[in-house]
Amino acid sequence: MATTADFKNGLCLEMNNDIYSIVEFQHVKPGKGAAFVRTKLKSLTSGKVLDKTFSAGEKVTTARVEKRPHQFLYADDMGYHFMDTESFEQIPIQEKLIERSNLMKEGQMVDILVHAETETPLSVELPPFVELMITYTEPGIKGDTATNALKPATVETGATVMVPLFVDQDTMIKVDTRDGSYSERVK
């Protein structure tokens, strides 16, 4: 059990026969009335986001969730296959549990959130940044740099990322996995 004073981003709660992760929270103390905590919760099983308000000091049930390192092996019609780096056990996971699955390449390390009591995988977390090779992009035209214009580029995983005009084909770039945007060129 925890109270609203223990809330922090990423804390997992059990409510309504589901497991939710706190995406963001705000403690509100109005001039009149009791304090409360406004939260944005994301369901780890369905991915839906809901807003919920807790009164200050309310007790909630926390879920025991573990992050385990896994290596992405391959994807097929059964789902995405990962290998536990300690026990070498392979597990398939459906695409709906993976955010931005189009940015994963074979052999990449990811963290899988596992419910500790039932041993069921809840979601897959990619590292904050991944390095990918651009396989196709239109060539940039010299002189088109008055504004920071972007052009579409296809990376080695098949995903399309908007990149600046100066980035050419066969260039390694760093992509932010939180929003799928271009970060920088890799030296």
Side-chain angles (χ1 to χ4, degrees):
M1 294 294 272
T3 65
T4 54
D6 301 322
F7 280 8
K8 60 180 187 250
N9 289 344
L11 180 70
C12 294
L13 310 173
E14 284 183 16
M15 298 177 359
N16 307 336
N17 296 328
D18 202 355
I19 298 175
Y20 293 92
S21 174
I22 296 177
V23 178
E24 63 182 61
F25 69 98
Q26 180 182 20
H27 185 82
V28 180
K29 174 78 175 93
K32 182 179 178 186
F36 59 90
V37 179
R38 192 177 292 136
T39 61
K40 210 174 246 184
L41 304 171
K42 180 178 181 183
S43 170
L44 293 179
T45 54
S46 66
K48 293 181 182 171
V49 177
L50 73 119
D51 294 318
K52 179 145 175 63
T53 304
F54 296 94
S55 58
E58 186 176 333
K59 291 197 180 307
V60 291
T61 308
T62 57
R64 270 194 43 228
V65 175
E66 297 176 353
K67 269 187 187 179
R68 297 184 184 160
H70 282 72
Q71 183 179 17
F72 172 58
L73 297 177
Y74 61 93
D76 62 10
D77 56 344
M78 296 287 292
Y80 289 77
H81 296 267
F82 297 89
M83 179 181 66
D84 189 332
T85 53
E86 294 163 9
S87 68
F88 302 108
E89 179 183 336
Q90 292 185 21
I91 56 168
I93 293 181
Q94 296 89 17
E95 185 174 5
K96 67 178 184 173
L97 297 178
I98 308 169
E99 206 167 317
R100 305 217 184 274
S101 61
N102 58 353
L103 294 178
M104 283 193 312
K105 61 181 181 180
E106 294 179 3
Q108 182 175 346
M109 295 301 295
V110 297
D111 285 329
I112 296 183
L113 284 175
V114 179
H115 190 256
E117 291 150 16
T118 60
E119 290 294 321
T120 55
L122 299 170
S123 68
V124 176
E125 288 185 0
L126 273 67
F129 295 96
V130 291
E131 294 180 359
L132 299 169
M133 176 74 72
I134 294 178
T135 56
Y136 176 76
T137 187
E138 296 290 330
I141 300 161
K142 196 169 187 162
D144 275 357
T145 56
T147 62
N148 47 351
L150 301 174
K151 63 181 181 179
T154 306
V155 294
E156 60 187 296
T157 60
T160 302
V161 178
M162 297 302 285
V163 298
L165 294 174
F166 60 81
V167 176
D168 297 322
Q169 193 167 317
D170 298 327
T171 304
M172 285 291 281
I173 61 169
K174 197 181 265 191
V175 178
D176 189 335
T177 58
R178 294 167 292 212
D179 56 5
S181 64
Y182 166 84
S183 178
E184 64 183 354
R185 282 189 289 188
V186 178
K187 273 83 177 165

